[in-house]
C-alpha cells in the first residue's frame, strides 16, 4: 500500500473524495489530453505535467513539512533533505504585474493516490514563497476569472456513483472554498415541471419557529407520496447563525418505481474570524431516496424506529419522514 492511500485528510470535501475511489473507472479517464501553454488543466491521470517546472528550494522546504509528505518520508526512511524530486510534478504560471508566479504542484511517484492526487498551489516571487492551497482531487483547473488578483480554481473528483466539484477563490491570504456540489452521476434536477403537482413554497420567516413549516411540509409530501402523485415542494429554512437552506423534494416515477429526488441548496455564512465581510459558501447536493417512511417522533420513542401504521391519520407534528436510499440509509429526515 502506498502511504498516500491513507494519508489524505484535510477539509471535509477532501474526505468525501476518498470514499469509493477504488471503484472509480470511466468518467474521469475520458478527460481529453489537450493542454494550453502553459497548461491550465491538470489531471491525476498524468504522470508528469508537459514542460514540467523545477521546484524552487523554498517550495521543496514547504513540501517537506507537509504532513502527507512527512509520513511518506518516514515510510521510506528518508530525511526531509532527501525529499525526492520525482515525487512531484509542477507547472508555473506568470501572474504578471510583478505579482510573482503561481506554481501548481501535483504528487507523482510514491505520492500518487488511487485516482486522486494531492495538489499544492504556491505563489512564489523573489521576496516570498507562500502555500495558498492544498487539496486532493482527480482534476484541477485554473480558471480565467480572478479574485483579489489571482485566478479562481476548480477541482473535480468522482467515485463509481457520485461526483464532487468545488471552486476556490483567493481571499488575500490563501484560497478559500466558495462553492461545492455533489450528486449521483447521471441524476439531474427536473427541468420540465408541467408534469408535477406543486404548491406554494414554504419559507420560514425571520422570527418564525421552523416546526410549523416542517409540519406543513411533512403533511403535504406524505399525502402526495401516499397517492403516488409526481409532485415537488421547496422548503426554505434559516438558522440562528444566518445560514439559509432551501430543499426541494421531487416525488417522481422512474421506470415505474416511485422515488424522491432531493436537491439541497445551502448558503452558509463565512465563519472565519479574520474576514470582515467574507463570501458565503454555497453548497448544492443531490440525493435520491427510493422509499419514504413515517416514524413516530415522540419523546418516549427516542430511537425513532417505529413506523406509523400506513392507514392511520396522525398530526404531522407527531411523526417525521425518513427518506431512505437503496442501501437502506437515511439520506434526509424531515
Amino acid at each position: 500500500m502506498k502511504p498516500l492511500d491513507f494519508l489524505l485528510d484535510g477539509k471535509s470535501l477532501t474526505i468525501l473524495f476518498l470514499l469509493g475511489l477504488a471503484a472509480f473507472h470511466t468518467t474521469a479517464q475520458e478527460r481529453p489530453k489537450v493542454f494550453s501553454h502553459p497548461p491550465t488543466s491538470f489531471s491525476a491521470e498524468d504522470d508528469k505535467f508537459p514542460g514540467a517546472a523545477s521546484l524552487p528550494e523554498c517550495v521543496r522546504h514547504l513540501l517537506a513539512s507537509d504532513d502527507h509528505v512527512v509520513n511518506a518520508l518516514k515510510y521510506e526512511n528518508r530525511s526531509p533533505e532527501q525529499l525526492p524530486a520525482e515525487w512531484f510534478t509542477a507547472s508555473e504560471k506568470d501572474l504578471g504585474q510583478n505579482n510573482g508566479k503561481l506554481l501548481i504542484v501535483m504528487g507523482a511517484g510514491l505520492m500518487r493516490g488511487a485516482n486522486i492526487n494531492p495538489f499544492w498551489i504556491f505563489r512564489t516571487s523573489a521576496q516570498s514563497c507562500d502555500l495558498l492551497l492544498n487539496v486532493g482531487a482527480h482534476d484541477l483547473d485554473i480558471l480565467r476569472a480572478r479574485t483579489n488578483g489571482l485566478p479562481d480554481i476548480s477541482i473535480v473528483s468522482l467515485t463509481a456513483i457520485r461526483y464532487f466539484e468545488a471552486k476556490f477563490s483567493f481571499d488575500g491570504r490563501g484560497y478559500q472554498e466558495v462553492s461545492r456540489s455533489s450528486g449521483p452521476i447521471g441524476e439531474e434536477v427536473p427541468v420540465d415541471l408541467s408534469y408535477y403537482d406543486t404548491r406554494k413554497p414554504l419559507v420560514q420567516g425571520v422570527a418564525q419557529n421552523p416546526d410549523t413549516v416542517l409540519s406543513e411540509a411533512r403533511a403535504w409530501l406524505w399525502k402526495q407520496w401516499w397517492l403516488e402523485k409526481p409532485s415537488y415542494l421547496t422548503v426554505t429554512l434559516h438558522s440562528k447563525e444566518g445560514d439559509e437552506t432551501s430543499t426541494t423534494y421531487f416525488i417522481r416515477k422512474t421506470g415505474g418505481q416511485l422515488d424522491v429526488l432531493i436537491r439541497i441548496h445551502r448558503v452558509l455564512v463565512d465563519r472565519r474570524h479574520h474576514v470582515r465581510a467574507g463570501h458565503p459558501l454555497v453548497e448544492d447536493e443531490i440525493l435520491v431516496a427510493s422509499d419514504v417512511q413515517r416514524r413516530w417522533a415522540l419523546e418516549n420513542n427516542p430511537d425513532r424506529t417505529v413506523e406509523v401504521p400506513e392507514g392511520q391519520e396522525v398530526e404531522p407534528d407527531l411523526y417525521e419522514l425518513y427518506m431512505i436510499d437503496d442501501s437502506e440509509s437515511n439520506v434526509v429526515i424531515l
Side-chain angles (χ1 to χ4, degrees), residues 236-256:
T236 300
L237 302 175
H238 300 91
S239 72
K240 295 179 180 179
E241 295 78 16
D243 301 334
E244 179 179 283
T245 301
S246 293
T247 306
T248 305
Y249 303 88
F250 296 90
I251 300 173
R252 59 183 190 169
K253 286 189 176 180
T254 305

Side-chain angles (χ1 to χ4, degrees), residues 154-173:
S154 70
I155 62 172
V156 176
S157 192
L158 302 95
T159 71
I161 58 174
R162 290 186 71 83
Y163 70 86
F164 305 92
E165 300 181 6
K167 179 181 174 183
F168 297 81
S169 295
F170 183 63
D171 70 352
R173 296 189 177 194

Side-chain angles (χ1 to χ4, degrees), residues 2 4 8 17 21 24 28-33 35 41-50 89 104-109 111-119 135-141 154-158:
K2 294 180 181 180
L4 183 63
L8 286 176
F17 287 166
L21 291 172
F24 166 56
Q29 294 176 354
E30 297 168 0
R31 185 183 179 89
K33 296 285 186 177
F35 294 96
S41 296
F42 308 92
S43 173
E45 296 295 319
D46 303 313
D47 294 328
K48 293 286 184 182
F49 296 156
T89 183
I104 299 91
V105 180
M106 184 181 74
M111 294 301 299
R112 289 176 66 84
N115 291 304
I116 183 172
N117 274 0
F119 285 87
V135 292
H138 187 276
D139 298 314
L140 183 146
D141 289 286
S154 70
I155 62 172
V156 176
S157 192
L158 302 95

Side-chain angles (χ1 to χ4, degrees), residues 19 38 54 61 70 72 83-84 103 110 146 152 200 210-211 214 221 255 289 309 311 314 326 331-332:
L19 300 175
S54 59
H61 178 74
V70 167
L83 181 64
L103 186 71
L110 191 68
R146 290 191 172 219
D152 293 346
K200 183 179 179 181
D211 291 345
L214 294 174
L221 285 170
V314 179
D326 288 335
V331 294
V332 169

Side-chain angles (χ1 to χ4, degrees), residues 11 102 121-123 130-135 147-153 167-178 270 272 274-275 279:
K11 296 184 179 180
L102 202 67
I121 308 295
F122 297 89
R123 179 162 67 171
D130 300 309
L131 175 62
L132 304 182
L133 179 65
N134 175 207
V135 292
T147 303
N148 294 315
L150 296 190
D152 293 346
I153 291 171
K167 179 181 174 183
F168 297 81
S169 295
F170 183 63
D171 70 352
R173 296 189 177 194
Y175 277 99
Q176 300 296 334
E177 193 176 14
V178 295
D270 197 327
R272 290 172 293 151
H274 70 269
V275 178
H279 296 286

Side-chain angles (χ1 to χ4, degrees), residues 187-202:
E187 291 286 359
E188 295 182 356
V189 174
V191 176
D192 182 5
L193 300 177
S194 60
Y195 177 64
Y196 293 82
D197 286 352
T198 189
R199 53 147 298 160
K200 183 179 179 181
L202 296 173

